[in-house]
Amino acid sequence: MGMGMHGLLAAQRDRLTGILNGIDTTVWDPANDPLLPERYDATTLDRKTVNKRALQIRLGLDPLSDIPLLGAVTRLTTQKGIDLLLDIADAVLALPAQIAIVASGDKALERRLLALTAALPGRLASFIGFDETLAHHVEAGADAFVMPSRFEPSGLNQMYSQRYGTPPIVHATGGLIDSVVDCTPQTLADGTATGFKFFAPTADALMSAIERCVAAYHDPTIWRALQRNGMARDFSWRHAAREYATIYARLVPS
């Protein structure tokens, strides 16, 4: 999605370097986050369930502990692909699972989301607008985070999610490819798996990824490994800064 410049960028690919954004690891830190009902780290992940129950109660979801809660904090635009999730909402809830969406943007999508919320009480919840506390609460309280962007140059929420032990489900595009490691037997074995990717911007592909996520959720060993792998990743600006420094050093004549 080069915005008309794809041909030029592709032709000059040997001169291009992509560097992901960093995140503020002080603000986004589940062990010290003052906005959470319960703080936790990779050694106390059982405490995450307190945040899940509090989020369910706050948003009017049934306070169920044995099915996964899928969260999203996003803008309601075509780019972000949340319409793909709305297309399969009934099928996702039937797995079973729950959905919590915090979003605003396109008015037609807002109306559609609110209509689904009204039709599926206790199972699908939404908040129209943005609330910083609620955004942190979704990252901590959801079991998995859905990010079906049609394109995403870097993205931040998939980084927040991994830091909060909330495996992301992402469309394999842009920075989402580079920052999430798909859960496969191989990546589980080598300790790198952190989430779930789907490789076409379609509702069917998203549904397949969610089904894989729900299956993993019900295997405590796999799920805990995914959470801890993600929490061990370094998405700080220190990492990004080192990449910038490497480029600068390469450009300076020796």
Side-chain angles (χ1 to χ4, degrees):
M1 306 298 289
M3 297 302 183
M5 297 182 67
H6 177 77
L8 174 62
L9 296 173
Q12 299 292 321
R13 66 172 60 244
D14 60 323
R15 301 188 182 190
L16 300 175
T17 300
I19 300 178
L20 291 167
N21 286 332
I23 64 173
D24 188 327
T25 54
T26 301
V27 172
W28 294 94
D29 177 9
N32 297 289
D33 191 335
L35 302 180
L36 301 185
E38 183 73 22
R39 300 172 194 174
Y40 61 95
D41 60 23
T43 66
T44 56
L45 274 163
D46 287 344
R47 297 179 186 173
K48 199 175 187 300
T49 59
V50 177
N51 294 297
K52 178 178 180 177
R53 182 176 177 82
L55 180 63
Q56 289 169 320
I57 291 171
R58 175 173 179 176
L59 293 179
L61 292 168
D62 297 331
L64 304 174
S65 61
D66 57 345
I67 64 172
L69 170 57
L70 310 182
V73 179
T74 188
R75 288 182 290 111
L76 293 175
T77 67
T78 300
Q79 178 210 338
K80 295 298 184 180
I82 204 68
D83 56 295
L84 301 177
L85 180 58
L86 301 185
D87 287 345
I88 57 172
D90 284 320
V92 171
L93 298 179
L95 287 173
Q98 293 177 319
I99 300 172
I101 299 173
V102 176
S104 64
D106 180 87
K107 297 304 178 183
L109 282 173
E110 285 186 1
R111 290 192 293 271
R112 185 180 175 196
L113 176 55
L114 289 173
L116 276 172
T117 303
L120 301 165
R123 296 182 291 157
L124 187 152
S126 62
F127 177 90
I128 301 298
F130 180 75
D131 180 290
E132 183 72 18
T133 298
L134 187 54
H136 282 245
H137 200 168
V138 170
E139 292 288 5
D143 293 299
F145 194 93
V146 185
M147 214 168 163
S149 303
R150 287 181 168 86
F151 61 96
E152 192 71 60
S154 177
L156 293 174
N157 280 102
Q158 82 280 9
M159 301 180 195
Y160 301 151
S161 298
Q162 289 170 85
R163 185 159 171 79
Y164 278 61
T166 306
I169 303 166
V170 302
H171 176 219
T173 186
L176 304 181
I177 290 177
D178 299 324
S179 56
V180 177
V181 179
D182 194 30
C183 180
T184 68
Q186 292 75 25
T187 58
L188 283 170
D190 65 23
T192 60
T194 64
F196 303 87
K197 292 179 182 176
F198 60 101
F199 294 86
T202 66
D204 286 345
L206 172 58
M207 186 67 199
S208 293
I210 291 175
E211 288 172 341
R212 289 198 293 128
C213 174
V214 171
Y217 172 83
H218 289 295
D219 186 318
T221 300
I222 289 176
W223 196 253
R224 195 62 95 219
L226 280 169
Q227 291 178 302
R228 288 177 174 155
N229 291 347
M231 296 179 85
R233 297 286 299 276
D234 180 8
F235 292 116
S236 70
W237 275 110
R238 290 186 301 275
H239 179 75
R242 285 194 296 270
E243 295 194 52
Y244 279 107
T246 299
I247 292 174
Y248 299 152
R250 191 168 69 236
L251 294 175
V252 174
S254 57

